[in-house]
């Protein structure tokens, strides 16, 4: 499973990239607003930090303006992945961009029917939002299961399922068990993945016992 980080904070991205475990980055207009930085500048900086796909979302909602914005975003770096909303105009832009060789992430996917449309439009990634479905009392993980099952029925579909709106490690583990190709994860949740109390306890014991030996390795 590929791990993307869901943030526009370059300091966090730089730190996570140094672990060697990061495969890409996703941003959205809300994350850009939160960063307080200029969109094009921050995307350029992120593209320098991470060689994998960096999702940069168009701001427009109509096809022609989306295409104009996508042209500017694609010129930033070869690893920019154009993010478009799952709307008729967004899917039209996805199709045109994919035909032109661009990587496209179709975002705001909340149904299996929408995911089928994204695949037909040639999306590189489709982003079903798990947490936001859970928030309204629906089953976000059931959507991941449906999309993975449907895509597997059609080997010609190359679109990868990018599990998004992940709120905690269980979301990630369940999505991985279902076979989602990618997860985009907030930095705080990535940090949670490392921890287990028995690891901390076990390490404290090993450190204490090693000290008793009076030895050094290097
Ligand atoms: C995905 O690309 C989205 O930016 C993100 O996962 C949305 O998550 P949220 O529902 O926590 O805002």
């Amino acid at each position: 499973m590929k791990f993307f980080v869901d943030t526009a904070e370059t300091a966090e991205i730089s730190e996570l990239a140094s672990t060697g475990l990061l495969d890409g980055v996703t941003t959205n207009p809300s994350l850009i607003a939160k960063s307080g930085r200029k969109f094009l500048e921050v995307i350029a900086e992120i593209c320098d930090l991470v060689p994998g796909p960096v999702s940069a979302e168009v701001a427009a909602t109509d096809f022609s303006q989306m295409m104009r914005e996508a042209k500017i975003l694609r010129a930033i770096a070869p690893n920019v992945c154009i993010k478009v909303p799952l709307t008729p105009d967004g899917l039209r832009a996805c199709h045109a961009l994919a035909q032109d060789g661009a990587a496209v992430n179709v975002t705001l996917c909340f149904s299996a029917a929408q995911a089928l449309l994204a695949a037909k439009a040639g999306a590189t990634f489709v982003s079903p939002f798990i947490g936001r479905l859970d928030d309204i009392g629906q089953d976000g993980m059931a959507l991941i299961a449906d999309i993975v099952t449907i895509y597997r029925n059609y080997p010609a579909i190359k679109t990868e399922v990018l599990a998004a709106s992940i709120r905690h490690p269980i979301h990630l583990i369940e999505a991985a068990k279902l076979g989602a190709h990618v997860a985009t994860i907030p930095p705080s949740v990535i940090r949670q993945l490392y921890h287990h109390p028995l690891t901390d306890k076990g390490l404290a014991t090993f450190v204490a016992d090693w000290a008793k030996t009076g030895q050094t390795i290097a």
Side-chain angles (χ1 to χ4, degrees):
M1 186 184 223
K2 283 176 263 190
F3 279 13
F4 292 178
V5 65
D6 199 24
T7 185
E9 300 297 332
T10 52
E12 303 246 45
I13 294 167
S14 176
E15 185 192 320
L16 290 164
S18 71
T19 65
L21 305 180
L22 194 60
D23 301 298
V25 178
T26 54
T27 65
N28 64 37
S30 305
L31 293 170
I32 296 293
K34 196 172 158 201
S35 78
R37 297 199 44 202
K38 289 212 180 301
F39 181 36
L40 302 187
E41 278 174 24
V42 82
I43 293 297
E45 211 174 298
I46 296 171
C47 287
D48 277 347
L49 290 170
V50 181
V54 174
S55 288
E57 187 161 342
V58 295
T61 54
D62 71 284
F63 170 76
S64 302
Q65 185 63 11
M66 280 185 198
M67 293 303 288
R68 279 190 284 275
E69 292 178 358
K71 190 174 177 189
I72 290 167
L73 295 171
R74 288 176 74 185
I76 294 175
N79 56 331
V80 164
C81 176
I82 305 300
K83 206 173 183 189
V84 297
L86 210 155
T87 60
D89 281 56
L91 290 181
R92 189 177 159 205
C94 173
H95 186 259
L97 290 164
Q99 292 282 93
D100 195 40
V104 185
N105 177 357
V106 176
T107 191
L108 293 169
C109 174
F110 293 96
S111 78
Q114 290 180 320
L116 259 175
L117 290 173
K120 287 188 76 71
T124 313
F125 304 106
V126 66
S127 293
F129 278 35
I130 300 169
R132 292 193 195 185
L133 278 170
D134 290 357
D135 288 346
I136 60 161
Q138 294 188 16
D139 187 348
M141 208 53 68
L143 175 60
I144 301 290
D146 282 349
I147 299 171
V148 169
T149 301
I150 290 168
Y151 281 11
R152 279 198 188 132
N153 285 342
Y154 298 95
I157 292 180
K158 300 297 175 216
T159 305
E160 296 193 1
V161 179
L162 195 171
S165 190
I166 284 184
R167 302 278 165 76
H168 48 69
I170 304 295
H171 272 158
L172 175 69
I173 298 309
E174 291 301 318
K177 280 158 70 176
L178 291 168
H181 306 85
V182 192
T184 189
I185 319 166
S188 58
V189 177
I190 293 183
R191 285 191 205 96
Q192 282 182 282
L193 302 178
Y194 286 90
H195 296 297
H196 194 285
L198 290 180
T199 303
D200 298 341
K201 188 180 171 199
L203 183 60
T205 303
F206 288 156
V207 167
D209 289 344
W210 178 250
K212 288 179 203 159
T213 72
Q215 300 177 50
T216 54
I217 298 172

